[in-house]
Amino acid sequence: MSKMKKFTAGLLSLAMVCSMTACNARKSDTTNPTTDSKTETEKIRLLGYSYYESTMNILRDQLTKAGFEVEVNLQPDYSSMVTARDTGEWDIAMSGWTTVTGNPDYAVRDIYASYGEYNFGGINDSKIDELIDKAAKETPAEYVKTYKELEDYLVTENAYTLPLYANKGIRAINNTVVDESTVHNPQSRSAFWEKYSYVDASQNETRPLVLTQMMGELTSLDPIQANDGSINQLSANINVRIVNMTDDDQIVPDGSLSRNIAIGEGNNEFYFILRDDVFFSKVEDGHAVNTGVRVGAEDVEFSLERAADKNSVASHKTYNLHNHMSDVSIVTDIEELKGVNDSDTGKPVFETLSANLPSEIKTLTADKTQVDNANGVYQVVKISTEEAFPQVLYYLAHQSAGILNKEVVTEMNSKFDVATYDPTKDVCYGDSAAIKSGNNYLWMSGPYALVSYDDYQVSFEKNPGYMAGTENEAKISNVTIKFIKDTSSAASEFRSGGIDIMDSVATNDVATLEENKDFTVFKYVRHATTFCEFNMKNGNKFENIDLRKAVLYAINQEEYIAYNNGLVGPLYSSFSTLIDTGNKLEFNAEKSAEHLAAYQESVKK
């Protein structure tokens, strides 16, 4: 979710604003049909963008029936909506959250905590902060109770958020082109591009794989400066991490920079033994080349330390994911590994890290140029947290923990002072505008390198220095992502053969695609949610709990499920897909009317 520049009110007036009030909306001082009390029609402003248009229409109609007069501000795209949201001229705003790390802390901290980077509605409640921190320290067996308490307080008691529905993952492929057996459908993390192969494998080196996404304005290619749909899958595929996630959210070293991982007793020390066959790529003459520079422990230490430092960059968007790390260091003493026991097995960490290596560990080094796994020379990174926090591993699998080149980033960001950074003149590492203009200075550690970017698409080439000769080496050499804002247009281009894989298929396109034997549609669990935020900032009327509850009880989630042909599900909070608390949102017109009347009575006093 990007931080967009604020425009003047005059410019905003030129944006696409659609004020829609249902034809049966009542005039002021009319009787609310859901109660015997006398209430006035309450005016509210609903903000969203074109992707949510159908959802907003349902929401508008539900709120109209509940006694609200709804002005709908429908922006043409996400960037325009962010600009409008920054003005504060809204009451309820459409939002969504995908827990791309598969752990509940990620599903709550940045959107509900008072300091959350994506807490746009202004939730500011110390009890919520306390419950989030309490659950973060607990094991999965323990934290279910705490998250249930959080959800009860967040939604049932205070109506701080407005849950609408849980999204399923829906991906479509052209099975005459893409080998169906190479397609993965992760519940959380982005798709594995390096796994894809064509049915005709001889095309892997020559035919670009064409994907699509809605957002065409990339926020930043610095992993810690962005955490939104414009860059998540891009960043996840151009930067390697020290752990990875399976389709069902298990933390593994497979396909990461680590060969093995170990957790020390106490769950606050984490060890990673690194591979020596991952090298940085960069772009020369429009193509990806191997720099010959190994991705090593020094780069891991640098990347994760800056991720844990709020002041390392301007507009740090993922600090709350990584501030649990208190220390990142390179281990050079084998005896240290032998003196710490593994929390799972009770055996020395050294034994866990030694499993199935190319050769036994003979020595450890802090110098990545000296690494030689075949001859027993390895690097080990140790990460410490101040308190037990096993969920840190999930954050290390997130795209924001991508490993960057220490020298390249340091040299580029040394040209300005972070405290006085001016985006109109300073160019920091990851600046997408600079890359778009042709100044592609990125060094990339992942299976793919971003080679070009314009208004219409972003293109990638295989990193020739990424795990060459292993099962993790990218199979398809070229990947292109087309920017298509409208899902219907994307589906149309997919049907015509212009797109090979659609990662996000609209629910109303599923039946049509399934009728064609050349298409395979995957429907799977995805930790994605759609909800609304209440504007509780600067004296906005939605600071009032009765008004929030009047809206909450007016929501009938069955209408969203029916409209989407059963391809979405019920929702109570952003972590409903991860933890079943038993809570369900019950539509109750009478309670909605009672709370609306209570709010209006309080205003009159």
Side-chain angles (χ1 to χ4, degrees), residues 305-344:
E305 282 182 345
R306 71 193 294 268
D309 178 4
K310 191 171 187 177
N311 299 314
S312 62
V313 294
S315 188
H316 195 323
K317 287 296 185 183
T318 58
Y319 169 71
N320 293 328
L321 307 186
H322 301 295
N323 61 359
H324 306 283
M325 294 185 290
S326 59
D327 185 64
V328 183
S329 60
I330 302 172
V331 178
T332 56
D333 183 3
I334 290 179
E335 294 305 312
E336 177 181 342
L337 304 181
K338 294 179 179 179
V340 178
N341 290 334
D342 185 287
S343 65
D344 290 331

Side-chain angles (χ1 to χ4, degrees), residues 187-261:
Q187 294 179 0
S188 299
R189 67 152 283 171
S190 298
F192 302 76
W193 295 351
E194 69 268 30
K195 301 293 185 182
Y196 289 135
S197 179
Y198 289 122
V199 172
D200 179 0
S202 67
Q203 294 184 323
N204 283 351
E205 293 190 12
T206 57
R207 185 188 190 281
L209 179 71
V210 182
L211 314 175
T212 183
Q213 71 176 38
M214 295 180 63
M215 298 180 186
E217 185 173 342
L218 308 183
T219 46
S220 173
L221 276 306
D222 182 335
I224 65 175
Q225 280 192 307
N227 186 19
D228 61 76
S230 76
I231 57 85
N232 280 342
Q233 68 168 325
L234 281 62
S235 188
N237 281 283
I238 66 173
N239 296 309
V240 73
R241 293 159 301 286
I242 59 173
V243 295
N244 219 335
M245 290 182 66
T246 61
D247 291 351
D248 59 352
D249 300 338
Q250 301 302 307
I251 298 296
V252 294
D254 306 346
S256 77
L257 186 61
S258 300
R259 293 190 182 275
N260 290 313
I261 59 179

Side-chain angles (χ1 to χ4, degrees), residues 452-474:
S452 65
Y453 163 44
D454 58 33
D455 290 335
Y456 307 101
Q457 63 185 36
V458 56
S459 298
F460 305 81
E461 283 188 6
K462 170 182 174 179
N463 175 0
Y466 186 84
M467 303 191 198
T470 73
E471 64 179 2
N472 298 308
E473 178 182 2

